[in-house]
Amino acid sequence: MGKDDSEFMQEAIRLSVSNVTEGRGGPFGAVVVKDGKIIARGVNQVTTTNDPTAHAEVVAIRNACMVLNTFQLDGCEIYTSCEPCPMCLGAIYWARPAKLFYANSKEDATAIDFDDQFIYEELAKPVAERKLFTRQILREEALEAFTKWRESTVKISY
């Protein structure tokens, strides 16, 4: 671990602590770094924005993409105060940063009642066995959009 890595992680941790002490949300913070500089920060804003997707990593990714004016984080690094939940990990993979660093583990999060294990378990089950009622409908009608996407000459692939 380089000196810069620990400095960037210290900022993510500082954000997580201040988010709690200032009563703004859960104990999670994240920063996005490009070329050795922090370009974006994020804290958990689930309760302040009434947005269940406003996790620190997602907020930081959104902010970084606005700064960079792009939908991918090529050449970036993400430092997050806790091992990402399944949603955030998916978002991180979609954003395509070069590296991910985390401090607290998912087991540490479970110990304070942020337990994502049920999501991992649900994802491993066939759709029909999941707790959330799920049924596929109108597939043939929906395929029109996919056909148009495949044939489009103006799309931006990602």
Side-chain angles (χ1 to χ4, degrees):
M1 178 176 73
K3 181 177 181 242
D4 289 341
D5 291 338
S6 63
E7 289 176 9
F8 297 138
M9 185 58 77
Q10 284 290 345
E11 178 61 7
I13 293 168
R14 185 195 69 74
L15 290 167
S16 70
V17 171
S18 70
N19 207 45
V20 174
T21 59
E22 296 174 16
R24 293 185 314 220
F28 306 99
V31 298
V32 178
V33 173
K34 182 155 178 107
D35 299 326
K37 294 182 180 163
I38 294 175
I39 61 164
R41 291 169 170 79
V43 294
N44 179 281
Q45 299 176 353
V46 170
T47 57
T48 56
T49 62
N50 293 320
D51 179 353
T53 69
H55 290 197
E57 299 92 334
V58 172
V59 172
I61 288 168
R62 289 173 180 164
N63 291 338
C65 288
M66 283 191 283
V67 167
L68 296 174
N69 194 31
T70 184
F71 53 85
Q72 290 186 189
L73 298 179
D74 297 326
C76 292
E77 301 165 356
I78 297 178
Y79 296 79
T80 181
S81 65
C82 187
E83 186 174 357
C85 74
M87 176 187 70
C88 291
L89 189 58
I92 290 166
Y93 271 98
W94 277 115
R96 296 177 175 90
K99 296 178 182 177
L100 168 65
F101 299 89
Y102 67 91
N104 290 318
S105 69
K106 62 184 176 183
E107 292 79 15
D108 295 328
T110 298
I112 60 163
D113 298 325
F114 286 93
D115 187 0
D116 299 322
Q117 187 58 38
F118 79 97
I119 297 173
Y120 292 107
E121 291 170 5
E122 285 289 295
L123 291 173
K125 293 177 183 177
V127 171
E129 294 176 21
R130 294 180 185 165
K131 290 179 183 170
L132 177 64
F133 174 85
T134 305
R135 179 186 303 154
Q136 182 180 26
I137 61 174
L138 299 180
R139 177 179 177 265
E140 292 302 317
E141 291 83 347
L143 283 173
E144 178 183 358
F146 283 14
T147 300
K148 289 186 180 306
W149 174 260
R150 184 180 56 237
E151 297 169 354
S152 176
T153 58
V154 296
K155 67 184 173 198
I156 298 173
S157 295
Y158 58 98

